[in-house]
Structures are given as C-alpha cells and as structure tokens.
Amino acid sequence: MNQMLALPGPSMGADPSQLSRKAKAAIIVQFLLNEGADVPLADLPEEQQAELTLLLGNMRYVDRDTLNMVVSEFTNELDSVGLSFPGDMAGALSAMDGKISARTAMRLRKEAGVRQTGDPWQRLSALDPERIEELVMSESIEVAAVMMSKIDVGKAAQVLSKLPGDKARRISYAVSMTTGVTPDAVDRIGLALAAQLDAEPPKAFKAKPEERLGSILNYSNTAVREELLEGLEQDDQQFADAVRKAIFTFANIPERLNAIDVPKITRDVSADVLAVALAASESEPDQATAEFLLSNMSKRLAESLREEAAGKGTVKPKVGEKAQNEVVAAIRDLVSVGEIELLNPDDDE
C-alpha cells in the first residue's frame, strides 16, 4: 500500500490501464472502507495521508470492471511479495525492540536521528505511577494537566494522590482549563515528553533497588533478615521502609493474598509441605498466617492438615522455613503467570 501511494504514475483516464498507482491505491482504500475494514492510514507519512484524502475527494466513481481489475492487480501484487521490511531506520528499530540490547538500540537511534515510533501517550501511560510523578513534578502545571487528561484515569488518580496537596490542587484546576488545547499541541507535548524518555540512558536493572533487595531477603532466614533490616534502618530509614514493603514472606500472606486464592495454593503445594509449614508456625505472625490459610480452604482439607501438622511435633527451624518458603515461592509463581494478584498493603492506608 505504501509503495502504491509513493510511486507516481500517469493521470487517471478512461482506460483502466492508464490509472496511476496513486489512483489505484485510492480505489483500494475506498473499497476496503466500504467493506468496513480498519485501514491504518495514520501509519502513512502526513504528506501521503493528505494526498490520498485529496484523491478520494476528487474521484467520483469507477465501473465494476475497473474495480475488479484494480483489486485483482492489487491481490496479485500482494501474493508476489515474499518478504517485507520496515522501510526506514525508525521502523527497523521498533521491529528489533527487545531483540537487541538497549544500549545498541539507543546508539543506533541517536546516530540515525530518529525517535521511537508509536503513540507517545501510549508509552507515557504505560509508565509506573512513580515515573509519571517524576515527569509531572518536573513540568509546568499546564503540561501536567494535559498529562493527567491523557493517561489512564486510574493511574492519573494514583499520581495525583502522591503529589503535594498544593501541586495536586493546581493541576486539578488546570485540567478544567484544557478545553481549548488543540490536538496538535497535545501531540507536541506527548512527543516532547517521549523524547525525554528516549534521552534517558539504559538501566542495567529493571526492578527497583528495594524490590531487588526484598527478593533476596525473602529467602533469607528470619534472624538474618531482621538483622540486615535493622542495620538499614540506621543508615537509611526511607530505603529500609521501602524494602520492608517489597518483602513478601510467610508472615505477610494474610495481608497480601486474597482469601479466595488460597485453594490455588493448596493445589500447587503438597499437603506434606503445607503441614510442615503450619507445624513450624510458632511466632504470632506465622500463626496468623496458618489460621488464614486453614480458614479459607475446604473444611475437610483444613481438618486433615491440622491433624497432620499436630503429628509433626516440633519442627526444626531450617526445615520449617524451607517449607514456608516453598509456600511463598508457589504464590510468587502464580503471580508471575498472572493467575493471582497480590494485594497492595498501602491500599488500606
């Protein structure tokens, strides 16, 4: 389609064979539109979009023989295509996204002088609320108001709740003043913000520092974990608090796991492991977790596990922690495949 629009040809005449490739492209587009097809014309360069629109506006009708000839020629041309390529460096970089290293992609993008393609607002909406908050705080109130109006409503609400009160109120008021903002201005704002993202150096780690450390401490024994956290609190209280929120251990299950998901855990963890994990629940938080799990599974299974746990007697700390970590690992596996979703403990604050 792009080639048919891009290549010049003779002007339209009565003889179908004398139709220009642009005119044939206009006929194909109108035919597809009449059939209800979703033609991604916005992907074409603006000059070709304008030229195509002018052609559609100037043409009146074609007879059925001409239409059949043009459609047949178009389908034959499509059938003869063995392989198509992006056509430019921007398209090639988008096609290779995730296949080549971020460092190489950034270098090629910079050398070619191209930005990342696609709708910039989709990229901005996909950012974490924390990253959007950083952008909002670095921009003017007017630009921030446009951002709040364009991104996902739920995410915009999260961002506003994190902002200082005065800043949030000024942005909220500015949203009411965006009625006269033109689409072109919104596009330019989106492109400018996306350009900031393109200019950022690639990061070696996707997860945040507190998330990475939290994942490590998840599999540390309780004594070591608490000792490290106490030391962190003395050095950096804010970071230590963030790490504590990122940690997900056996004791955190009641506040993070939805009660209706407990049966899925019992399906993926053997009864023997569950019994050991329950028998090892001596501390108050662990006992609360044990009761939470037992209260949200079938009565028959709960009674069976209670009896089996009681028969285990005193469980060695290492054995108990291993079983409890297996329960936590099963929950994390279910989260990673999207079968369950952990609750955010901050939602209740």
Side-chain angles (χ1 to χ4, degrees):
M1 178 69 70
N2 289 15
Q3 292 177 339
M4 293 184 72
L5 278 172
L7 296 177
S11 60
M12 181 176 179
D15 185 355
S17 64
Q18 298 301 311
L19 287 173
S20 70
R21 291 179 65 82
K22 294 180 180 180
K24 292 177 182 179
I27 292 173
I28 292 296
V29 168
Q30 186 61 56
F31 173 73
L32 292 174
L33 293 175
N34 288 348
E35 293 297 316
D38 183 15
V39 187
L41 298 177
D43 294 340
L44 293 171
E46 290 189 7
E47 296 78 8
Q48 291 187 5
Q49 293 183 48
E51 190 171 4
L52 175 61
T53 304
L54 288 173
L55 273 171
L56 292 174
N58 291 329
M59 297 175 71
R60 292 295 178 264
Y61 68 90
V62 295
D63 56 46
R64 186 168 297 277
D65 290 339
T66 302
L67 174 62
N68 291 338
M69 182 276 294
V70 173
V71 172
S72 177
E73 180 182 323
F74 182 67
T75 54
N76 289 336
E77 187 169 332
L78 288 179
D79 290 339
S80 67
V81 175
L83 185 65
S84 62
F85 292 86
D88 56 25
M89 182 58 74
L93 285 167
S94 294
M96 296 294 283
D97 185 32
K99 308 297 188 301
I100 59 178
S101 70
R103 181 181 299 178
T104 300
M106 186 181 72
R107 179 175 61 81
L108 291 174
R109 197 178 300 281
K110 184 176 181 180
E111 291 176 355
V114 297
R115 65 174 181 84
Q116 187 163 329
T117 57
D119 183 356
W121 289 110
Q122 290 183 359
R123 293 180 60 197
L124 293 164
S125 294
L127 296 175
D128 292 334
E130 292 78 10
R131 184 66 185 92
I132 298 177
E133 180 188 358
E134 292 176 4
L135 288 173
V136 168
M137 292 299 293
S138 65
E139 296 294 337
S140 67
I141 296 296
E142 292 74 17
V143 169
V146 172
M147 289 179 63
M148 293 297 98
S149 301
K150 287 293 294 183
I151 65 175
D152 176 74
V153 174
K155 193 166 289 187
Q158 292 182 52
V159 173
L160 281 176
S161 67
K162 295 175 179 292
L163 296 175
D166 180 61
K167 182 90 170 179
R169 285 191 295 272
R170 292 170 63 194
I171 292 175
S172 300
Y173 176 72
V175 169
S176 67
M177 310 296 289
T178 58
T179 305
V181 178
T182 64
D184 182 58
V186 172
D187 288 342
R188 283 189 280 109
I189 291 173
L191 291 173
L193 292 171
Q196 293 185 36
L197 302 180
D198 293 336
E200 293 179 349
K203 297 179 179 179
F205 305 105
K206 291 184 178 180
K208 299 175 183 177
E210 60 269 22
E211 293 174 347
R212 299 198 303 274
L213 182 56
S215 297
I216 295 171
L217 294 181
N218 278 331
Y219 295 97
S220 303
N221 64 58
T222 305
V224 171
R225 182 168 56 244
E226 287 303 318
E227 182 180 353
L228 288 173
L229 287 171
E230 288 175 4
L232 275 178
E233 287 173 347
Q234 295 177 8
D235 297 332
D236 190 335
Q237 181 67 51
Q238 186 174 359
F239 180 61
D241 291 342
V243 172
R244 284 191 181 277
K245 290 182 179 179
I247 289 175
F248 176 60
T249 64
F250 189 77
N252 301 124
I253 289 177
E255 63 179 4
R256 301 295 305 279
L257 183 67
N258 197 316
I260 62 175
D261 290 328
V262 170
K264 297 177 182 177
I265 311 306
T266 61
R267 179 195 65 193
D268 288 4
V269 181
S270 68
D272 184 63
V273 171
L274 278 172
V276 173
L278 296 174
S281 301
E282 297 182 354
S283 66
E284 187 175 338
D286 286 352
Q287 289 178 358
T289 297
E291 191 57 38
F292 172 80
L293 294 173
L294 291 168
S295 300
N296 291 287
M297 62 179 68
S298 68
K299 289 185 177 180
R300 178 183 298 179
L301 179 59
E303 292 175 0
S304 174
L305 286 174
R306 286 183 192 276
E307 292 179 4
E308 190 172 349
K312 297 288 183 182
T314 302
V315 177
K316 294 181 179 180
K318 287 186 177 180
V319 175
E321 285 200 359
K322 181 181 178 182
Q324 291 178 349
N325 284 339
E326 286 189 41
V327 176
V328 172
I331 295 174
R332 286 189 171 278
D333 288 342
L334 290 173
V335 172
S336 66
V337 299
E339 191 166 342
I340 66 175
E341 185 174 345
L342 293 179
L343 304 175
N344 187 347
D346 292 337
D347 289 344
D348 296 332
E349 293 181 1

